[in-house]
Amino acid sequence: MPLSMMKSGIHAAVLLSVCLAGRTVWSEEVQLTVQDVPQPLAAAVKQLETREGWGITYEEPPDRPAPKGSITLTYDVTDATRTDARLQEEVLTRLLAQQDGKEAPRFRLVQAGGLWHVTPKQGSPLEIPITLARQERPLGELLRLLCVEVSKQSGTQVELGSTAGLPLESRVTLEAVTREPARAVLARLLNSSRQRAAWTLRTQGAERKYVLSAHRIFRLTGGTLGPAPSK
């Protein structure tokens, strides 16, 4: 999505100052808007990530993508509550609730591996348990290996797509995995003390294969990224 669209889709409607314990706290009312776009939930998730720095993944349903639509959501945030997992969960839950009653795939919110996951209720290939031996390889090789293993175990083709901002040549140690959901393994591979990353999983082509695209999490409005939500 173009940067100009993301900036125009989200704006601060009101700034309020209140006194709390002798100091001024700024509360910002944010209106998040996506209008008449394909896969509006995916677009709204991306806007939340780039505005607030929240780690959110989006996994597309296997049968069909969401139809074109619009979403408007208003919420209040401060510098303190921005990093609060309770606010993140509340905002994302309200966002998903807008899909109820519409002719659109149904989603659920899952918290795992320090990330929020917007994933279809009917399941995702990344829920498949996988088993991998302990190994040290470049990150790019491990990501492709994970896609191969998910494809084998799920019977659905999963390919690695774009990897914006990720150090694919950096060597990473993957500890042995025994029948653990691929989503949890992927979250560990992509997130460490030095970096935070999320992904999208989308269907592509007539054969309905999946493409896994991963990216660094950047908060475009400035400031530091919020910490991962506690388990």
Side-chain angles (χ1 to χ4, degrees):
M1 179 181 297
L3 179 59
S4 59
M5 183 179 296
M6 287 191 287
K7 286 185 175 179
S8 63
I10 285 185
H11 66 276
V14 181
L15 288 177
L16 302 173
S17 64
V18 298
C19 290
L20 179 62
R23 60 191 179 90
T24 299
V25 177
W26 289 94
S27 176
E28 184 178 8
E29 183 183 80
V30 178
Q31 182 172 300
L32 179 150
T33 304
V34 294
Q35 293 185 336
D36 200 28
V37 298
Q39 301 173 313
L41 182 58
V45 163
K46 185 61 177 178
Q47 287 194 9
L48 276 175
E49 178 190 298
T50 55
R51 189 188 195 283
E52 307 296 352
W54 298 347
I56 315 168
T57 73
Y58 175 83
E59 299 169 14
E60 195 168 86
D63 52 355
R64 58 188 173 91
K68 202 171 186 180
S70 302
I71 291 177
T72 299
L73 179 69
T74 301
Y75 63 94
D76 294 323
V77 65
T78 68
D79 283 340
T81 60
R82 176 173 286 114
T83 61
D84 190 335
R86 290 172 297 182
L87 174 67
Q88 298 173 20
E89 182 176 18
E90 175 190 344
V91 172
L92 287 167
T93 298
R94 289 173 54 205
L95 184 64
L96 266 61
Q98 293 201 24
Q99 299 294 297
D100 291 341
K102 296 182 179 181
E103 289 298 322
R106 298 297 183 263
F107 294 85
R108 61 193 174 101
L109 184 64
V110 177
Q111 184 182 355
L115 298 170
W116 296 106
H117 306 279
V118 175
T119 182
K121 289 184 177 180
Q122 61 264 53
S124 162
L126 294 183
E127 294 170 3
I128 297 296
I130 60 174
T131 298
L132 294 169
R134 185 185 187 279
Q135 51 200 296
E136 181 180 343
R137 295 190 187 188
L139 176 60
E141 289 187 17
L142 288 174
L143 290 174
R144 283 185 283 271
L145 178 64
L146 184 142
C147 288
V148 169
E149 188 64 20
V150 171
S151 299
K152 182 192 306 181
Q153 297 301 325
S154 67
T156 302
Q157 185 179 1
V158 178
E159 295 180 357
L160 184 63
S162 62
T163 52
L166 297 182
L168 298 184
E169 301 305 318
S170 296
R171 296 189 71 81
V172 177
T173 299
L174 173 68
E175 299 298 336
V177 173
T178 303
R179 293 197 57 76
E180 185 176 359
R183 183 184 292 127
V185 180
L186 180 59
R188 282 203 306 276
L189 275 177
L190 292 177
N191 289 272
S192 67
S193 59
R194 297 185 301 276
Q195 74 172 28
R196 293 187 62 212
W199 64 80
T200 61
L201 184 70
R202 298 177 183 269
T203 55
Q204 186 179 87
E207 68 275 22
R208 307 303 289 172
K209 70 178 180 182
Y210 282 93
V211 176
L212 174 68
S213 299
H215 60 274
R216 289 285 299 274
I217 299 170
F218 291 103
R219 185 177 169 217
L220 297 183
T221 54
T224 57
L225 293 181
S230 58
K231 294 182 179 180

mmCIF file of all heavy atoms in Angstrom, residues 1 32 34-46 58 66-71 95 99 102 104:
data_model
loop_
_atom_site.group_PDB
_atom_site.id
_atom_site.type_symbol
_atom_site.label_atom_id
_atom_site.label_comp_id
_atom_site.label_asym_id
_atom_site.label_seq_id
_atom_site.Cartn_x
_atom_site.Cartn_y
_atom_site.Cartn_z
ATOM 1 N N MET A 1 0.843 -1.185 0.000
ATOM 2 C CA MET A 1 0.000 0.000 0.000
ATOM 3 C C MET A 1 0.876 1.231 0.000
ATOM 4 O O MET A 1 1.815 1.316 0.794
ATOM 5 C CB MET A 1 -0.889 -0.006 1.249
ATOM 6 C CG MET A 1 -1.792 1.213 1.355
ATOM 7 S SD MET A 1 -2.786 1.143 2.863
ATOM 8 C CE MET A 1 -3.726 -0.314 2.525
ATOM 9 N N LEU A 32 -9.077 5.424 12.430
ATOM 10 C CA LEU A 32 -8.479 4.570 11.399
ATOM 11 C C LEU A 32 -9.535 4.325 10.332
ATOM 12 O O LEU A 32 -10.646 3.904 10.635
ATOM 13 C CB LEU A 32 -8.014 3.261 12.030
ATOM 14 C CG LEU A 32 -7.366 2.206 11.128
ATOM 15 C CD1 LEU A 32 -6.364 1.393 11.927
ATOM 16 C CD2 LEU A 32 -8.400 1.271 10.521
ATOM 17 N N VAL A 34 -10.159 2.805 6.235
ATOM 18 C CA VAL A 34 -9.835 2.285 4.901
ATOM 19 C C VAL A 34 -11.152 2.286 4.129
ATOM 20 O O VAL A 34 -12.179 1.864 4.649
ATOM 21 C CB VAL A 34 -9.222 0.871 4.947
ATOM 22 C CG1 VAL A 34 -7.860 0.898 5.616
ATOM 23 C CG2 VAL A 34 -10.124 -0.114 5.690
ATOM 24 N N GLN A 35 -11.113 2.781 2.918
ATOM 25 C CA GLN A 35 -12.349 2.964 2.162
ATOM 26 C C GLN A 35 -12.305 2.248 0.824
ATOM 27 O O GLN A 35 -11.392 2.472 0.024
ATOM 28 C CB GLN A 35 -12.617 4.459 1.929
ATOM 29 C CG GLN A 35 -12.941 5.227 3.207
ATOM 30 C CD GLN A 35 -13.318 6.673 2.934
ATOM 31 O OE1 GLN A 35 -12.940 7.227 1.916
ATOM 32 N NE2 GLN A 35 -14.076 7.269 3.844
ATOM 33 N N ASP A 36 -13.285 1.379 0.620
ATOM 34 C CA ASP A 36 -13.535 0.746 -0.673
ATOM 35 C C ASP A 36 -12.263 0.143 -1.273
ATOM 36 O O ASP A 36 -11.883 0.440 -2.394
ATOM 37 C CB ASP A 36 -14.138 1.772 -1.633
ATOM 38 C CG ASP A 36 -14.865 1.107 -2.800
ATOM 39 O OD1 ASP A 36 -15.356 -0.023 -2.621
ATOM 40 O OD2 ASP A 36 -14.930 1.715 -3.880
ATOM 41 N N VAL A 37 -11.611 -0.722 -0.481
ATOM 42 C CA VAL A 37 -10.377 -1.364 -0.934
ATOM 43 C C VAL A 37 -10.536 -2.881 -0.859
ATOM 44 O O VAL A 37 -11.318 -3.400 -0.060
ATOM 45 C CB VAL A 37 -9.161 -0.931 -0.087
ATOM 46 C CG1 VAL A 37 -8.926 0.559 -0.201
ATOM 47 C CG2 VAL A 37 -9.352 -1.333 1.392
ATOM 48 N N PRO A 38 -9.798 -3.640 -1.682
ATOM 49 C CA PRO A 38 -9.797 -5.098 -1.538
ATOM 50 C C PRO A 38 -9.173 -5.477 -0.193
ATOM 51 O O PRO A 38 -8.263 -4.800 0.294
ATOM 52 C CB PRO A 38 -8.917 -5.570 -2.701
ATOM 53 C CG PRO A 38 -8.835 -4.406 -3.628
ATOM 54 C CD PRO A 38 -8.959 -3.184 -2.793
ATOM 55 N N GLN A 39 -9.677 -6.516 0.421
ATOM 56 C CA GLN A 39 -9.145 -7.016 1.683
ATOM 57 C C GLN A 39 -9.000 -5.897 2.714
ATOM 58 O O GLN A 39 -7.894 -5.583 3.190
ATOM 59 C CB GLN A 39 -7.812 -7.715 1.446
ATOM 60 C CG GLN A 39 -7.919 -8.884 0.479
ATOM 61 C CD GLN A 39 -6.571 -9.473 0.126
ATOM 62 O OE1 GLN A 39 -5.637 -8.754 -0.192
ATOM 63 N NE2 GLN A 39 -6.476 -10.788 0.188
ATOM 64 N N PRO A 40 -10.107 -5.257 3.082
ATOM 65 C CA PRO A 40 -10.033 -4.106 3.988
ATOM 66 C C PRO A 40 -9.427 -4.438 5.352
ATOM 67 O O PRO A 40 -8.756 -3.593 5.944
ATOM 68 C CB PRO A 40 -11.501 -3.671 4.122
ATOM 69 C CG PRO A 40 -12.301 -4.887 3.746
ATOM 70 C CD PRO A 40 -11.490 -5.595 2.715
ATOM 71 N N LEU A 41 -9.656 -5.657 5.852
ATOM 72 C CA LEU A 41 -9.084 -6.019 7.155
ATOM 73 C C LEU A 41 -7.567 -6.045 7.089
ATOM 74 O O LEU A 41 -6.879 -5.559 7.997
ATOM 75 C CB LEU A 41 -9.623 -7.372 7.606
ATOM 76 C CG LEU A 41 -9.145 -7.853 8.983
ATOM 77 C CD1 LEU A 41 -9.495 -6.855 10.072
ATOM 78 C CD2 LEU A 41 -9.742 -9.226 9.301
ATOM 79 N N ALA A 42 -7.012 -6.593 6.013
ATOM 80 C CA ALA A 42 -5.556 -6.619 5.862
ATOM 81 C C ALA A 42 -4.998 -5.202 5.799
ATOM 82 O O ALA A 42 -3.943 -4.905 6.376
ATOM 83 C CB ALA A 42 -5.177 -7.389 4.599
ATOM 84 N N ALA A 43 -5.698 -4.309 5.091
ATOM 85 C CA ALA A 43 -5.251 -2.922 4.997
ATOM 86 C C ALA A 43 -5.300 -2.231 6.352
ATOM 87 O O ALA A 43 -4.392 -1.473 6.712
ATOM 88 C CB ALA A 43 -6.109 -2.168 3.983
ATOM 89 N N ALA A 44 -6.348 -2.493 7.133
ATOM 90 C CA ALA A 44 -6.471 -1.880 8.451
ATOM 91 C C ALA A 44 -5.391 -2.404 9.401
ATOM 92 O O ALA A 44 -4.827 -1.647 10.199
ATOM 93 C CB ALA A 44 -7.859 -2.155 9.027
ATOM 94 N N VAL A 45 -5.093 -3.689 9.334
ATOM 95 C CA VAL A 45 -4.035 -4.282 10.159
ATOM 96 C C VAL A 45 -2.696 -3.617 9.854
ATOM 97 O O VAL A 45 -1.916 -3.278 10.760
ATOM 98 C CB VAL A 45 -3.955 -5.802 9.933
ATOM 99 C CG1 VAL A 45 -2.637 -6.365 10.438
ATOM 100 C CG2 VAL A 45 -5.126 -6.495 10.633
ATOM 101 N N LYS A 46 -2.403 -3.400 8.572
ATOM 102 C CA LYS A 46 -1.146 -2.762 8.186
ATOM 103 C C LYS A 46 -1.072 -1.331 8.703
ATOM 104 O O LYS A 46 -0.020 -0.874 9.163
ATOM 105 C CB LYS A 46 -1.005 -2.787 6.666
ATOM 106 C CG LYS A 46 0.334 -2.244 6.167
ATOM 107 C CD LYS A 46 1.492 -3.073 6.705
ATOM 108 C CE LYS A 46 2.826 -2.587 6.168
ATOM 109 N NZ LYS A 46 3.957 -3.356 6.724
ATOM 110 N N TYR A 58 -1.118 -11.271 9.402
ATOM 111 C CA TYR A 58 -2.400 -11.452 8.731
ATOM 112 C C TYR A 58 -2.306 -12.682 7.840
ATOM 113 O O TYR A 58 -1.412 -12.777 6.986
ATOM 114 C CB TYR A 58 -2.757 -10.230 7.880
ATOM 115 C CG TYR A 58 -4.012 -10.401 7.055
ATOM 116 C CD1 TYR A 58 -5.261 -10.179 7.613
ATOM 117 C CD2 TYR A 58 -3.937 -10.793 5.726
ATOM 118 C CE1 TYR A 58 -6.420 -10.347 6.853
ATOM 119 C CE2 TYR A 58 -5.084 -10.958 4.961
ATOM 120 C CZ TYR A 58 -6.322 -10.736 5.527
ATOM 121 O OH TYR A 58 -7.469 -10.904 4.785
ATOM 122 N N ALA A 66 -11.120 -11.726 1.147
ATOM 123 C CA ALA A 66 -12.238 -10.870 1.537
ATOM 124 C C ALA A 66 -12.607 -9.940 0.384
ATOM 125 O O ALA A 66 -11.739 -9.478 -0.348
ATOM 126 C CB ALA A 66 -11.861 -10.046 2.760
ATOM 127 N N PRO A 67 -13.902 -9.674 0.211
ATOM 128 C CA PRO A 67 -14.311 -8.768 -0.864
ATOM 129 C C PRO A 67 -13.936 -7.326 -0.551
ATOM 130 O O PRO A 67 -13.526 -6.990 0.549
ATOM 131 C CB PRO A 67 -15.836 -8.951 -0.891
ATOM 132 C CG PRO A 67 -16.184 -9.348 0.507
ATOM 133 C CD PRO A 67 -15.037 -10.190 0.983
ATOM 134 N N LYS A 68 -14.097 -6.478 -1.550
ATOM 135 C CA LYS A 68 -13.806 -5.065 -1.394
ATOM 136 C C LYS A 68 -14.728 -4.471 -0.334
ATOM 137 O O LYS A 68 -15.892 -4.840 -0.234
ATOM 138 C CB LYS A 68 -14.033 -4.367 -2.740
ATOM 139 C CG LYS A 68 -13.306 -3.061 -2.926
ATOM 140 C CD LYS A 68 -13.446 -2.604 -4.371
ATOM 141 C CE LYS A 68 -12.612 -1.364 -4.631
ATOM 142 N NZ LYS A 68 -12.741 -0.912 -6.036
ATOM 143 N N GLY A 69 -14.199 -3.554 0.473
ATOM 144 C CA GLY A 69 -15.026 -2.981 1.528
ATOM 145 C C GLY A 69 -14.335 -1.829 2.229
ATOM 146 O O GLY A 69 -13.263 -1.378 1.818
ATOM 147 N N SER A 70 -14.973 -1.341 3.297
ATOM 148 C CA SER A 70 -14.458 -0.205 4.059
ATOM 149 C C SER A 70 -14.507 -0.524 5.546
ATOM 150 O O SER A 70 -15.340 -1.320 5.991
ATOM 151 C CB SER A 70 -15.285 1.056 3.777
ATOM 152 O OG SER A 70 -15.280 1.367 2.396
ATOM 153 N N ILE A 71 -13.622 0.105 6.305
ATOM 154 C CA ILE A 71 -13.572 -0.051 7.759
ATOM 155 C C ILE A 71 -13.263 1.306 8.368
ATOM 156 O O ILE A 71 -12.391 2.035 7.887
ATOM 157 C CB ILE A 71 -12.501 -1.064 8.197
ATOM 158 C CG1 ILE A 71 -12.897 -2.485 7.799
ATOM 159 C CG2 ILE A 71 -12.256 -0.992 9.705
ATOM 160 C CD1 ILE A 71 -11.856 -3.529 8.141
ATOM 161 N N LEU A 95 -11.821 -4.442 15.775
ATOM 162 C CA LEU A 95 -11.591 -4.443 14.330
ATOM 163 C C LEU A 95 -12.150 -5.710 13.696
ATOM 164 O O LEU A 95 -12.851 -5.661 12.671
ATOM 165 C CB LEU A 95 -10.089 -4.331 14.062
ATOM 166 C CG LEU A 95 -9.650 -4.225 12.600
ATOM 167 C CD1 LEU A 95 -10.184 -2.939 11.976
ATOM 168 C CD2 LEU A 95 -8.127 -4.258 12.506
ATOM 169 N N GLN A 99 -16.175 -7.514 10.892
ATOM 170 C CA GLN A 99 -16.355 -8.500 9.833
ATOM 171 C C GLN A 99 -17.593 -9.371 10.060
ATOM 172 O O GLN A 99 -18.073 -10.017 9.148
ATOM 173 C CB GLN A 99 -15.127 -9.417 9.746
ATOM 174 C CG GLN A 99 -13.847 -8.691 9.416
ATOM 175 C CD GLN A 99 -13.877 -8.093 8.022
ATOM 176 O OE1 GLN A 99 -13.976 -8.798 7.030
ATOM 177 N NE2 GLN A 99 -13.789 -6.778 7.943
ATOM 178 N N LYS A 102 -21.025 -9.917 7.713
ATOM 179 C CA LYS A 102 -20.768 -9.490 6.337
ATOM 180 C C LYS A 102 -20.453 -10.707 5.475
ATOM 181 O O LYS A 102 -20.099 -11.772 5.967
ATOM 182 C CB LYS A 102 -19.592 -8.509 6.288
ATOM 183 C CG LYS A 102 -19.843 -7.199 7.012
ATOM 184 C CD LYS A 102 -18.632 -6.283 6.871
ATOM 185 C CE LYS A 102 -18.869 -4.952 7.554
ATOM 186 N NZ LYS A 102 -17.705 -4.043 7.412
ATOM 187 N N ALA A 104 -17.974 -12.018 4.141
ATOM 188 C CA ALA A 104 -16.511 -11.980 4.168
ATOM 189 C C ALA A 104 -16.005 -13.156 4.992
ATOM 190 O O ALA A 104 -16.718 -13.673 5.849
ATOM 191 C CB ALA A 104 -16.022 -10.667 4.771
#
